[in-house]
Amino acid sequence: MMGQPALAEIQLKLSPAPTLDRDVSDIEYINDYLEENEQTELLKFLTCGSVDDGKSTLIGRLLYDSNKVYEDHLNALIRDSRRLGHDSDDLEFALLADGLKAEQEQGITIDVAYRYFATSSRKYIIADCPGHSQYTKNMATGASNCELAVILIDAQNGVLDQTRRHSLIVDLLGISQVVVAINKMDLVSYDRQIYERIREEYLEFARGLGFTQTSFVPVAAKFGENIVQRSTNMDWYSGDTIIELLERAPVTADQDFEQFCMTVQRVHHPSEDFRGYSGTITKGVVRPGDPILVLPSGHQTRVERIVTMDGDLEEGFAPQSITITVSDQLSINRGDTLASPSYKPSVGDTILANVVWMANKPLTANKNYIFKMGGRQVTGQVAELLHRLDVNTQAREACDQLDGNEIGLARIQLQRPVVYEPYADDKTMGSFIVIDRISNETVGAGMICDQIGTESSAT
């Protein structure tokens, strides 16, 4: 078994950094470092799995063994580990990820905890998602902006319902890269046959999902085996460690420079001489003089200026936040979409979407909700629930309601047309949240998969 962290090692990590002489060369070095760091690519990934599978421990080990823990965090780790009955040679690494007192004391993660770290070649944002089934909505929130999922499985328990549930949500949210970490191998005597059995069981379940890359790693997170350092107890495993897989995982870098798109989030009209439309560019590039369409109305105009707090720009590109003025006096409102004429999204008042229901009260047809899509809020209702997904078998079951944390396919009828794309093509234009009109609480999240019924061309 790999050794646990010795007190001398911890003290070495706590040693203060050398003081820099503040001369010109140091300033240039720091500026060069900051500029290089800005260009380093970013990978956003999440960890998920059932309760007590070791997600937070894996993250803590990943941070600790990568030497990416700040001195005050290490001091707090030692102090809190002692408070929980551990000594300096047996740190509770989950505390580096579990920030809430309630989580530490109950031994579970109940909220999404975000952590940041970087290596010499890449920056990372980790979403540590809750494992209990009643917090599936938190897990869906944490996964929505990630490009890779690390799914943990306890080697003692194998593939559980919650493993399947999380895998299904990961698939629905368009994450195609998955690392399956089969954890606690130390508690099953590093048995290769157990690892292979769980691997085959998961592959059988995931065969119907849209994962393009599925990797498996046997780990013992408590001792850091196959997280950053390779395990000597599992010499039968010749694959990559967790950090090696993260370092090489493709990062979505494709940028559509041809089709500009921006949803208007605010209209500025401080005087008769100025009317601007502010928002965040979701794709493409825009320049003064470019022709643009206003959707869903279909009116065409030209960009006059690109305004920012620092002055006008010669061009704007994703993901900048800008204000645009146009050459014609048009009725452009919050929630409208400004886009290149070549951009061909769908425009319609009926959508088909996978819905993750988050409320205690069930989702039923023909009840009015607010559907928030980007900057636009539209009243509508679920006209029909087509089916509910069984997370164990992926079977489609007939239903007349969705209970909390259930997932189903719904046909949604809106009171006016909206601009959208399938979620698989554009996460920003293909997602929405459902808001209760009375309580104003978010009760669901949806991923558009197609359009049916009334629709019109974006041209």
Side-chain angles (χ1 to χ4, degrees):
M1 184 178 297
M2 295 183 65
Q4 298 173 346
L7 183 58
E9 178 187 356
I10 296 170
Q11 291 172 337
L12 179 61
K13 288 176 179 284
L14 290 173
S15 299
T19 304
L20 292 175
D21 294 329
R22 297 294 192 261
D23 57 20
V24 175
S25 62
D26 286 331
I27 295 173
E28 291 176 349
Y29 172 80
I30 292 171
N31 288 335
D32 289 344
Y33 172 80
L34 292 175
E35 182 177 353
E36 179 182 347
N37 191 58
E38 286 180 355
Q39 304 302 318
T40 304
E41 62 185 4
L42 171 67
L43 177 69
K44 293 170 286 187
F45 71 94
L46 74 147
T47 60
C48 55
S50 295
V51 174
D52 202 32
D53 276 352
K55 300 176 298 299
S56 299
T57 301
L58 184 144
I59 292 176
R61 261 299 184 179
L62 191 61
L63 297 173
Y64 183 85
D65 290 345
S66 299
N67 295 320
K68 300 302 177 184
V69 182
Y70 293 112
E71 181 177 332
D72 58 334
H73 290 178
L74 264 177
N75 281 321
L77 172 63
I78 296 171
R79 182 185 65 248
D80 292 341
S81 292
R82 288 171 176 167
R83 179 175 60 85
L84 295 176
H86 300 266
D87 58 33
S88 298
D89 292 327
D90 183 24
L91 298 180
E92 183 57 61
F93 290 100
L95 298 179
L96 289 174
D98 282 340
L100 301 178
K101 289 287 185 182
E103 295 177 10
Q104 296 174 11
E105 291 166 1
Q106 297 176 44
I108 62 171
T109 300
I110 61 176
D111 201 356
V112 181
Y114 293 94
R115 291 295 180 269
Y116 167 86
F117 79 103
T119 63
S120 59
S121 58
R122 184 169 279 184
K123 294 181 290 189
Y124 299 92
I125 295 176
I126 314 169
D128 178 21
C129 295
H132 199 282
S133 60
Q134 73 183 95
Y135 301 113
T136 298
K137 61 183 180 181
N138 305 65
M139 183 266 164
T141 302
S144 60
N145 292 312
C146 292
E147 299 167 293
L148 180 145
V150 178
I151 299 175
L152 273 81
I153 298 175
D154 189 329
Q156 302 171 104
N157 301 325
V159 178
L160 302 176
D161 287 354
Q162 192 68 339
T163 311
R164 300 183 182 96
R165 182 188 300 273
H166 284 171
S167 299
L168 184 57
I169 295 176
V170 163
D171 178 48
L172 288 175
L173 290 169
I175 299 174
S176 60
Q177 302 180 76
V178 172
V179 174
V180 181
I182 301 176
N183 191 25
K184 302 187 181 180
M185 289 297 297
D186 54 304
L187 299 182
V188 293
S189 304
Y190 302 100
D191 192 323
R192 181 175 184 173
Q193 290 186 343
I194 292 177
Y195 164 76
E196 294 291 351
R197 175 180 57 77
I198 295 173
R199 180 179 182 276
E200 291 304 317
E201 184 180 359
Y202 186 87
L203 283 173
E204 179 64 26
F205 163 77
R207 187 167 287 118
L209 303 179
F211 299 151
T212 59
Q213 178 65 44
T214 306
S215 304
F216 294 83
V217 187
V219 302
K222 181 177 181 179
F223 306 114
E225 299 184 69
N226 285 339
I227 307 297
V228 174
Q229 306 297 329
R230 187 167 297 279
S231 171
T232 58
N233 292 299
M234 292 180 279
D235 53 4
W236 45 263
Y237 173 75
S238 59
D240 294 324
T241 62
I242 297 292
I243 192 64
E244 288 171 339
L245 289 169
L246 295 176
E247 291 281 83
R248 292 208 312 271
V251 175
T252 303
D254 295 337
Q255 177 61 266
D256 186 346
F257 292 104
E258 300 298 325
Q259 298 181 330
F260 162 73
C261 178
M262 184 188 88
T263 299
V264 176
Q265 296 173 336
R266 186 173 182 181
V267 178
H268 298 275
H269 187 40
S271 67
E272 292 297 325
D273 299 328
F274 185 89
R275 182 184 290 270
Y277 309 99
S278 299
T280 300
I281 302 174
T282 57
K283 65 170 65 178
V285 178
V286 64
R287 301 176 180 86
D290 284 354
I292 56 171
L293 285 177
V294 181
L295 301 173
S297 68
H299 294 132
Q300 185 163 334
T301 184
R302 288 188 177 273
V303 177
E304 190 176 59
R305 297 171 57 195
I306 303 174
V307 183
T308 71
M309 292 291 291
D310 299 322
D312 287 12
L313 300 178
E314 295 184 359
E315 66 176 14
F317 51 87
Q320 284 181 315
S321 296
I322 60 172
T323 298
I324 288 177
T325 65
V326 298
S327 56
D328 300 286
Q329 293 186 355
L330 300 175
S331 177
I332 303 176
N333 303 304
R334 171 180 165 84
D336 287 348
T337 299
L338 307 181
S340 304
S342 60
Y343 180 44
K344 304 293 183 182
S346 297
V347 179
D349 59 7
T350 305
I351 58 176
L352 191 68
N354 288 303
V355 176
V356 179
W357 194 242
M358 303 176 176
N360 292 325
K361 292 183 179 179
L363 169 64
T364 57
N366 303 317
K367 178 182 178 180
N368 285 334
Y369 294 96
I370 296 171
F371 294 85
K372 188 176 188 301
M373 303 177 176
R376 167 163 287 196
Q377 293 189 170
V378 184
T379 301
Q381 59 184 223
V382 172
E384 181 183 8
L385 281 168
L386 284 82
H387 62 250
R388 173 176 53 220
L389 287 175
D390 185 305
V391 298
N392 296 313
T393 65
Q394 301 177 46
R396 301 176 178 183
E397 303 172 340
C399 66
D400 54 11
Q401 69 179 38
L402 285 183
D403 294 325
N405 293 306
E406 289 189 330
I407 304 165
L409 184 66
R411 181 170 60 87
I412 298 169
Q413 183 66 51
L414 305 172
Q415 290 189 354
R416 60 180 186 272
V418 294
V419 182
Y420 64 93
E421 286 195 69
Y423 184 84
D425 297 334
D426 190 316
K427 289 187 176 183
T428 301
M429 299 296 291
S431 60
F432 60 87
I433 61 173
V434 188
I435 301 172
D436 187 278
R437 298 176 67 211
I438 305 302
S439 66
N440 204 38
E441 293 180 352
T442 298
V443 291
M447 292 76 70
I448 299 171
C449 47
D450 205 348
Q451 74 280 355
I452 55 176
T454 304
E455 65 171 301
S456 62
S457 171
T459 57

